[in-house]
Amino acid sequence: QVQLVESGGGLVQPGGSLRLSCEASGFNLDYYNIGWLRQVPGKEREGVACISSSDGPTDYTDSVKGRFTISRDNAKNTVYLQMNNLKPEDTAVYYCARPYGRFSPCPLSRYLYTYWGQGTQVTVSS
């Protein structure tokens, strides 16, 4: 079955960096869009970044453009989110997710994702 497992979260000071990993299993990663979304308690889950199938186009929410980079390594069945110049407002639980079907381009809307990982906590604080 489809499984997504996130890792790499933690506590980092403002201005620091983290790299999140999303290891996928149960499907051919190359065929599907993958997204990173985040959620703060009391707020809706928001799309942060996505990467289209076959290493296609990427998209980012405005607040992370120029700071975050999404990439994929299909040979390792893993999608990464490199986060630089982190800010306190980036604090959230980060999830990777996959849509049910195959389409283009990749979405940032949480409503278009069906399969989710368990999430990894990112805390940006001094």
Side-chain angles (χ1 to χ4, degrees):
Q1 72 274 26
V2 174
Q3 286 193 320
L4 300 165
V5 179
E6 302 95 335
S7 62
L11 173 64
V12 63
Q13 292 186 342
S17 298
L18 282 175
R19 188 177 79 158
L20 305 183
S21 299
C22 172
E23 185 172 355
S25 61
F27 65 98
N28 190 328
L29 182 64
D30 190 40
Y31 290 173
Y32 290 92
N33 302 326
I34 297 293
W36 281 99
L37 301 92
R38 64 188 180 188
Q39 189 168 24
V40 175
K43 292 190 175 182
E44 294 184 344
R45 197 169 294 187
E46 66 164 345
V48 174
C50 68
I51 186 166
S52 298
S53 60
S54 302
D55 208 16
T58 58
D59 198 9
Y60 300 88
T61 193
D62 286 346
S63 64
V64 308
K65 286 180 180 177
R67 300 188 298 122
F68 290 11
T69 303
I70 189 171
S71 62
R72 64 198 300 157
D73 185 337
N74 292 328
K76 295 183 177 180
N77 293 323
T78 302
V79 175
Y80 303 99
L81 185 67
Q82 178 67 43
M83 306 187 295
N84 298 328
N85 191 20
L86 282 160
K87 303 177 180 180
E89 52 263 42
D90 295 318
T91 295
V93 177
Y94 283 71
Y95 300 89
C96 67
R98 200 209 87 179
Y100 178 79
R102 298 170 61 183
F103 54 88
S104 182
C106 67
L108 288 178
S109 170
R110 68 186 187 278
Y111 298 110
L112 295 177
Y113 288 96
T114 300
Y115 301 100
W116 297 85
Q118 82 287 352
T120 186
Q121 176 70 47
V122 171
T123 302
V124 185
S125 175
S126 55

